[in-house]
Amino acid sequence: MPDVRIVLVEPSHPGNIGGAARAMKTMGLNSLALVNPKRFPDPQADWRAAGALDIVEQATICDTIAEAVQDSVLVAGTSARARHIPWPLMTSAAFAEFVHTNFAEDDSVSILFGREDNGLTNDELNLCNRHIRIPASEQYGSINLAMSVQIVAYDLFCQTLSKEIPVSDAEAWDKPLATFAEVHDFLEHLQSVLLQIGFSDPDEPRKAEVRLQRLFNRIEMDHTEVQILRGILTHIEKELASDSLSREIEKQQDNG
């Protein structure tokens, strides 16, 4: 199984941190990251963790989601909200199968769980390659944070019980997948170039940029592919600078 990291974003109840740690340990997961927890460390987290106190004590504390997932090649966000712009959406069971089929053991995969009261924001969900939805009753679909972690962790664990796990595409791939940080830097570079060529207006954000972000998050680029795209963007910037210099020289000659 890939290296799965559970990321709790701004959890407000320390008991849910302990409960999530316990859910993780029963399913063979041990990597926990907390983004701006409101109360941590806290005795309630230790008490709820029961036999998983080691996971609580070793949890990584981060200021931002980007910091928590920077080395991940796949970032998934759990969400119950409908999106105006559709995003790749899977049930927790389908996501577990997808992870086991397409990613190697040394790949880092992060799964984001949002705040107890309102989950992840749209901007935070935009950072994800996939969205996970846990099927629940339409009459009452609210699931406790620790319970949500338990369900996703259970589905991941069930995949490890298969006696015959096929060789994944990731294991046969010639280059390692790009990390979140590499893709994030590329998207910032792309946005900069789009501004330079006049495609984007900084005063009027467009849905096209969000769709481009969704596109590149969805296709799971490898390290070399990202470097090639960054090289193309750098070449465009050099050409823009050269054209600008030529026009300036011509202007000076005309004035002279």
Side-chain angles (χ1 to χ4, degrees), residues 28 69 134 147 160 165 199:
V69 305
I134 300 172
M147 292 175 62
T160 68
I165 300 177
F199 179 84

Side-chain angles (χ1 to χ4, degrees), residues 37-160:
K38 291 188 177 180
R39 289 168 50 194
F40 187 82
D42 189 280
Q44 287 190 35
D46 298 345
W47 174 72
R48 283 286 304 279
L53 185 58
D54 56 325
I55 293 180
V56 173
E57 293 176 339
Q58 295 169 16
T60 302
I61 311 301
C62 304
D63 293 327
T64 65
I65 291 175
E67 179 186 350
V69 305
Q70 60 181 336
D71 62 339
S72 296
V73 299
L74 176 71
V75 179
T78 55
S79 175
R81 76 177 63 191
R83 300 297 310 279
H84 180 67
I85 297 179
W87 220 262
L89 179 66
M90 295 177 165
T91 64
S92 57
F95 175 76
E97 182 179 2
F98 171 73
V99 166
H100 280 269
T101 303
N102 294 281
F103 296 89
E105 289 186 0
D106 57 350
D107 285 335
S108 175
V109 173
S110 288
I111 305 174
L112 311 183
F113 293 82
R115 303 156 190 84
E116 290 92 335
D117 54 353
N118 55 13
L120 297 168
T121 67
N122 282 336
D123 286 342
E124 290 166 346
L125 287 169
N126 286 345
L127 299 174
C128 302
N129 307 96
R130 297 288 188 278
H131 292 173
I132 301 171
R133 179 163 301 173
I134 300 172
S137 169
E138 293 183 0
Q139 281 73 31
Y140 188 66
S142 178
I143 303 176
N144 173 270
L145 174 58
M147 292 175 62
S148 297
V149 173
Q150 181 75 77
I151 293 170
V152 173
Y154 170 78
D155 284 330
L156 287 166
F157 181 71
C158 284
Q159 290 293 319
T160 68

Side-chain angles (χ1 to χ4, degrees), residues 5-255:
R5 178 181 304 127
I6 300 298
V7 181
L8 306 185
V9 179
E10 297 186 353
S12 58
H13 303 297
N16 281 329
I17 297 174
R22 184 175 183 179
M24 291 169 57
K25 191 160 187 176
T26 61
M27 297 300 151
L29 303 180
N30 53 37
S31 180
L32 175 64
L34 308 174
V35 178
N36 290 325
K38 291 188 177 180
R39 289 168 50 194
F40 187 82
D42 189 280
Q44 287 190 35
D46 298 345
W47 174 72
R48 283 286 304 279
L53 185 58
D54 56 325
I55 293 180
V56 173
E57 293 176 339
Q58 295 169 16
T60 302
I61 311 301
C62 304
D63 293 327
T64 65
I65 291 175
E67 179 186 350
V69 305
Q70 60 181 336
D71 62 339
S72 296
V73 299
L74 176 71
V75 179
T78 55
S79 175
R81 76 177 63 191
R83 300 297 310 279
H84 180 67
I85 297 179
W87 220 262
L89 179 66
M90 295 177 165
T91 64
S92 57
F95 175 76
E97 182 179 2
F98 171 73
V99 166
H100 280 269
T101 303
N102 294 281
F103 296 89
E105 289 186 0
D106 57 350
D107 285 335
S108 175
V109 173
S110 288
I111 305 174
L112 311 183
F113 293 82
R115 303 156 190 84
E116 290 92 335
D117 54 353
N118 55 13
L120 297 168
T121 67
N122 282 336
D123 286 342
E124 290 166 346
L125 287 169
N126 286 345
L127 299 174
C128 302
N129 307 96
R130 297 288 188 278
H131 292 173
I132 301 171
R133 179 163 301 173
I134 300 172
S137 169
E138 293 183 0
Q139 281 73 31
Y140 188 66
S142 178
I143 303 176
N144 173 270
L145 174 58
M147 292 175 62
S148 297
V149 173
Q150 181 75 77
I151 293 170
V152 173
Y154 170 78
D155 284 330
L156 287 166
F157 181 71
C158 284
Q159 290 293 319
T160 68
L161 301 179
S162 174
K163 294 182 179 179
E164 295 183 2
I165 300 177
V167 176
S168 70
D169 292 339
E171 290 174 332
W173 203 248
D174 61 332
K175 297 293 181 180
L177 293 176
T179 65
F180 172 90
E182 289 173 330
V183 176
H184 180 266
D185 290 345
F186 159 69
L187 290 172
E188 286 196 338
H189 193 177
L190 175 62
Q191 180 62 25
S192 173
V193 172
L194 293 179
L195 288 170
Q196 292 179 58
I197 64 176
F199 179 84
S200 296
D201 184 350
D203 298 324
E204 295 183 9
R206 299 169 57 184
K207 292 179 181 177
E209 282 79 0
V210 176
R211 289 184 178 271
L212 284 172
Q213 184 177 18
R214 178 182 66 173
L215 166 64
F216 288 110
N217 278 335
R218 188 176 73 242
I219 62 178
E220 294 150 12
M221 299 178 288
D222 67 33
H223 170 79
T224 301
E225 290 166 343
V226 170
Q227 293 306 307
I228 291 172
L229 290 173
R230 292 289 301 271
I232 293 172
L233 294 176
T234 298
H235 188 77
I236 292 173
E237 289 177 318
K238 289 180 179 178
E239 289 297 313
L240 290 173
S242 177
D243 289 345
S244 177
L245 179 60
S246 296
R247 289 194 296 270
E248 184 62 29
I249 292 175
E250 291 176 358
K251 181 179 179 181
Q252 292 178 358
Q253 290 175 342
D254 292 340
N255 292 337

